[in-house]
Amino acid sequence: MSAILALLATGLRLAMPILIAALGETFAESAGVLNIGLEGMLTLGAFAGYVVAEHTHSVVVALLAAIPTGLLGAELLGWFVIRARASQLVVGVLFNALATGVAAYLYRLDCPPGVTLATLTLPKTDALGLTLPFYALLLLVPLAEIALRRSRVGLNLRAAGEAPQAAATAGLDVERLRMWGLRLSCLAGALGGAYLVVCQIGLFRESVVAGQGFAALAMVIFGRWRPIAVAACAVLFGCLDALQFVIQLDAARMPPQLFLALPYLVSALAISGLFGRARQPAALGVPWRREQRD
């Protein structure tokens, strides 16, 4: 296998958790909800996936554990940011802290420290070492593109994020649409966290997510809220993450933190406007009130 092909394969593997989370966040932001709590959802999904995998020794069941985890998180976040119309930024930051604390506490109660999921076997499907779960989840990219850009449901979601007043006048339930967008974001975040632990790392710790939720938020902006472009940006992030391992080997005297920051530095430059200004959904982060219809 050539060095470039190996780098791409590693980048694809590293990109998958961010890719999944970013796809879900694209739906939420298109509907007008900025889910800052995505980092916390990844953490909760990682913990749920780890615990279920430890007890069932099943990759499929562990990944499915992300569904109730994401739905519970979405209901909590939705009550504050959609129904109570609290600040999406403040609620998201608090949720991240709460999720980290809850996951760490439950982990100490249920799991012995340092236990890995070595008993799990992931079938390799090709010479690149990419697994069957990887290809199954990769199908989410075209499905998300069709659902958001080509379907009536996607059109309604984007209407709730672009012009909620006009959408409500046309008879759409803006709050319900935004809630569904938030649910998809939380489900994808929990699934990304579960995939990270079950299919990649094999263990859980408090810092296992390591900012990947925030990186997913950046990928949505970099990809201009289009699922295929968002997925491509996530793969680029993964390849940069893989590249920093190669660079560290060739520059052993350099501080490793410098290379660890490389993919995040590129993400910051991407959303800074260096490559052109991104036009976000007009009502992104703006609370919607039912009485606005009158």
Side-chain angles (χ1 to χ4, degrees), residues 27-33 153-168 172-179 181 281-288:
F27 282 85
E29 294 193 18
S30 295
V33 180
V153 173
L155 178 62
N156 292 341
L157 278 173
R158 288 186 285 125
E162 285 287 350
Q165 178 66 52
L172 299 178
D173 189 333
V174 174
E175 284 190 359
R176 185 179 180 184
L177 288 167
R178 289 188 167 189
M179 191 64 212
L284 178 61
V286 179
W288 165 255

Side-chain angles (χ1 to χ4, degrees), residues 223-239:
R224 304 299 196 263
W225 295 272
R226 299 196 62 120
I228 289 181
V230 168
C233 293
V235 172
L236 174 61
F237 182 94
C239 290

Side-chain angles (χ1 to χ4, degrees), residues 20-46:
I20 298 169
L23 285 179
E25 180 63 15
T26 304
F27 282 85
E29 294 193 18
S30 295
V33 180
L34 180 61
N35 184 13
I36 299 295
L38 196 58
E39 180 86 358
M41 282 311 316
L42 278 159
T43 303
L44 291 176

